[in-house]
Amino acid sequence: MTALDNLRHKASYGATGLLWVNVAILCAVALTGHGTNTVASIIGCALLAATATMFWLRDKAGPTTRVVNAMALAAQVGMLVYAFSGSAYQIDMHMYFFATLAITAAWVDWRAIIAYAALVAVHHLVLYVAVPAAVFPGQSDFGRVLLHAMILILQSGVLIALTGAVVRSFDMAANAADSSIAAHKQAAVNAEQAQKAGEKAAAERAAREVEKAEEARRIELAVDSLAGALEQLSVGNLSHRIALPLHGRMDGLRLTFNASLEKLEQALNEVGHAARSVRHDAAAISGSNQELASRTERQAVSVEETASALSQISGTVEDTAKLAVEVDRLVGSTKNGAERSATIVATAVEAMSRIEDSSRQISQIIGVIDEIAFQTNLLALNAGVEAARAGDAGKGFAVVAQEVRELAQRSATAAKEIKTLINASHDQVQRGVDLVGQTGQALKAIETEVHQISSQVQLIVHAARDQSGGIRDINGTIDQIDQNTQHNATMVQESTAAVHSLAQEAAALENLLAKFTLNEAAGGHGHMPERRRAA
């Protein structure tokens, strides 16, 4: 029995027991008196439970038993809904359809789920037409039937998908178990083959032991030869060679070792020649560096003196530029004063012109007064004549006329005196106008000259600034040259120290090479000194 069959077998007990539980529920409803048509429902439920139980007894988890059990469960729920006809709990009993549909999924069989859903759909459609009150309380409509059908289809689809997944999982587990059994069998076969291979390997191992002993003897001989050669190498004897041929690939090691010693000996000879050349070249470079250092120091002193002189020149030019700026400021102030004086003179000329106009108007007014005095005098004279003609009656009028004539004469005299003063004042005003005009022209000339002076001073200021900037740049360049020269001197000193160090290292290298024993003409590069051979 597979794991899936075992699960269905266990589920069959619960599903069959639920059928009889539904019968018991109907009996309890009948005893409490909450339902209607309970007797018929009890009889129908009992018949359905008995039929499903018969199939269960014959095959507890067979395909027919699963489908019959699902259909009987759906029919019993329909009878429970019918038993609650007219009751407020009738609509609540519809929830039992969906609960028992989920319970049907315990069979893990899509056919049982479809059978349950199909019987519920037929139940709703048939009773909606035949006995509507057996489905929904009160007035039933087709929309509610469709709603229940859609919910039922949705739940059935989900349960069928879950059932398929469970079935696939059990199938995969069964396949894995079969594969595991097959693997165990293959492992047993492999173990038997391994045992045979071990026996064969033992025989081959014995043969190889003999070969290894011979190989060990040959290796020991090669190691002894190499040890002797390395001992000679450790004491600095590079002329020693392994002359005894070795067995097999060991002889290649001997040839490689001899060739390496030859190359090392040749390289050390070349190193010796290079060390002597380096020592001689270092001595020559050291002398050149010392001479270069002396010249660099003298150049640094000259550059420093030049920089000092340029600094003094730069300070002088900067002072000149500052004085030029101060002169430019004074000239600007003078120019502004001249401009203000010219403005004041122009205003004075205008005032003199207005005074001249006023004098002219006063002269005209005095002329009018003089004419009035003349006319008054004439009228007074006429009045006197008329008073004389009148005799005694005109004496008073004659006195008045005489007074008027005297007043007119005094007015004429005063007018003449005022006219004389006005004419004299007019001459003075005219002279003042001429003098102010000449002053204005002089101030304009001064302003023009001040403008020219200001322009020349500004050119001097700009030139002084440019010279100061140029000298500052030259001074900066000289400072940079001074720094570079000092840096070069430092580098020359460092280079001299490095050359001395190089010469010392070359001498140390020659002393080190003297510790090795070399052939007279190794590599065709000449002979090593006798003191090295003696070493």
Side-chain angles (χ1 to χ4, degrees), residues 158-174:
V158 173
L159 292 176
I160 290 172
L162 291 175
T163 300
V166 172
V167 171
R168 287 192 296 272
S169 298
F170 277 104
D171 290 340
M172 291 173 64

Side-chain angles (χ1 to χ4, degrees), residues 83 96 126 162 183 200-201 221 224 257 320 324 398 409 427 458 498 500 524:
Y96 199 27
V126 172
L162 291 175
K200 182 178 180 181
L221 179 61
D224 292 339
F257 180 81
T320 304
Q409 288 176 357
D427 294 336
Q458 288 181 355
H500 282 300

